[in-house]
């Protein structure tokens, strides 16, 4: 009788151990699914960073090229005008009138280009900060998935919920991933669009700002040339 009872207990213990092993294996599988979703999310964040970086590199290259070009144009206008003044045969009184505000105009065009660069920097910094902030907020969801199974043991009694805890956690993973796909990812893409909009909106505006600064300086130099021509 004792032998039969021990045999039943052994069989029951073996069945329980097997059941627990299957349960643990299933939880590990759920954790693996959570980690897969976590990696997909992190991959999305990395792609956003890479895309933003590539866009900003090209954008800054174009901005710097235009600013350097503008500086070269201004320097050439300055040299040509000052050479014309120094070689002019016009009376000194005429020269004084023609060049009265020349130094102020040189200072003004420098400040104008500074304002253009400052506005570009503000726009780029603002759009970049929005993307970083959006990614940081979204990473909270990603981080929660890393320990979702462990948290399941904290939120529910594993003894009472042995049969359902894995189902509960699995449903949570699916819910978080669906939310990420339907809400978070589109929001991230809209924020990233701000970086692309810099090229179509900000870049032409800054180019116009630079062009106007150079154009005003060139117009003043032309006034000097015309004035000296009439004075001779």
């Amino acid at each position: 009788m004792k032998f039969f009872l021990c045999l039943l207990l052994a069989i029951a213990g073996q069945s329980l151990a097997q059941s627990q092993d299957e349960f643990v294996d299933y939880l590990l599988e759920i954790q693996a699914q959570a980690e897969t979703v976590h990696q997909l999310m992190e991959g999305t964040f990395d792609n956003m960073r890479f895309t933003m970086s590539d866009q900003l590199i090209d954008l800054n290259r174009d901005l710097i090229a235009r600013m350097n070009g503008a500086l070269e144009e201004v320097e050439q206008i300055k040299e040509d005008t000052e050479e014309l003044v120094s070689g002019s045969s016009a009376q000194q009184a005429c020269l004084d009138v023609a060049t009265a505000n020349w130094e102020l105009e040189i200072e003004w065009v420098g400040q104008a280009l500074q304002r253009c660069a400052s506005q570009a920097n503000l726009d780029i910094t603002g759009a970049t900060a929005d993307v970083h902030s959006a990614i940081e907020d979204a990473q909270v969801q990603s981080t929660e998935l890393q320990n979702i199974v462990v948290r399941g043991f904290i939120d529910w009694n594993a003894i009472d919920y042995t049969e359902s805890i894995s189902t509960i956690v699995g449903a949570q993973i699916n819910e978080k991933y669906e939310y990420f796909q339907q809400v978070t990812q589109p929001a991230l893409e809209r924020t990233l669009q701000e970086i692309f909009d810099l090229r179509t909106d900000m870049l032409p505006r800054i180019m116009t700002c630079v062009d106007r600064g150079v154009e005003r300086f060139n117009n003043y130099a032309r006034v000097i040339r015309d004035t000296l021509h009439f004075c001779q």
Side-chain angles (χ1 to χ4, degrees):
M1 184 67 174
K2 289 183 179 180
F3 173 76
F4 182 70
L5 180 59
C6 290
L7 181 60
L8 288 177
L9 290 174
I11 293 174
Q14 183 178 2
S15 298
L16 179 61
Q18 183 177 0
S19 176
Q20 290 297 324
D21 288 343
E22 292 175 354
F23 177 64
V24 170
D25 289 342
Y26 189 74
L27 287 179
L28 291 175
E29 181 182 346
I30 289 293
Q31 180 65 24
Q33 293 176 8
E35 291 172 357
T36 298
V37 174
H38 166 73
Q39 291 173 2
L40 289 172
M41 290 181 176
E42 291 297 324
T44 299
F45 304 148
D46 288 341
N47 288 336
M48 285 190 65
R49 294 188 187 96
F50 292 146
T51 300
M52 178 173 65
S53 178
D54 289 343
Q55 289 295 314
L56 291 179
I57 288 173
D58 291 341
L59 185 67
N60 283 320
R61 184 182 293 116
D62 291 342
L63 283 170
I64 292 171
R66 182 63 192 105
M67 293 298 293
N68 285 338
L71 291 174
E72 291 175 359
E73 291 177 49
V74 168
E75 184 62 27
Q76 188 63 53
I77 294 170
K78 178 176 177 294
E79 290 179 0
D80 292 345
T81 303
E82 291 178 350
E83 182 179 352
L84 177 65
V85 171
S86 64
S88 175
S89 59
Q91 295 181 0
Q92 187 61 45
C94 181
L95 292 175
D96 291 342
V97 171
T99 61
N101 294 321
W102 181 238
E103 295 299 327
L104 291 177
E105 287 297 320
I106 293 175
E107 182 178 356
W108 184 92
V109 71
Q111 292 175 348
L113 295 180
Q114 282 182 319
R115 287 192 294 271
C116 297
S118 177
Q119 185 59 56
N121 181 65
L122 286 174
D123 291 348
I124 292 173
T125 301
T128 303
D130 288 344
V131 172
H132 283 303
S133 178
I135 292 176
E136 184 177 347
D137 291 342
Q139 279 186 309
V140 174
Q141 302 171 40
S142 176
T143 303
E144 289 176 351
L145 283 170
Q146 290 180 294
N147 299 314
I148 194 167
V149 173
V150 174
R151 195 174 64 251
F153 280 97
I154 297 173
D155 294 340
W156 296 283
N157 187 315
I159 302 301
D160 296 336
Y161 288 87
T162 299
E163 298 297 329
S164 58
I165 189 172
S166 57
T167 302
I168 294 172
V169 174
Q172 281 189 332
I173 294 173
N174 292 333
E175 180 182 352
K176 289 184 178 296
Y177 187 50
E178 288 178 2
Y179 184 86
F180 180 80
Q181 286 184 309
Q182 297 173 10
V183 179
T184 304
Q185 191 165 0
L188 290 172
E189 291 172 354
R190 287 192 297 271
T191 305
L192 184 61
Q193 184 61 41
E194 293 182 29
I195 301 297
F196 289 94
D197 290 343
L198 290 173
R199 175 164 293 279
T200 57
D201 177 33
M202 183 274 289
L203 185 59
R205 180 160 38 84
I206 299 303
M207 293 296 190
T208 299
C209 177
V210 172
D211 291 343
R212 286 176 177 172
V214 175
E215 182 181 7
R216 168 173 164 156
F217 186 66
N218 187 50
N219 287 340
Y220 189 81
R222 184 180 295 111
V223 169
I224 292 177
R225 293 194 298 271
D226 292 343
T227 302
L228 294 181
H229 175 73
F230 286 115
C231 286
Q232 291 178 348

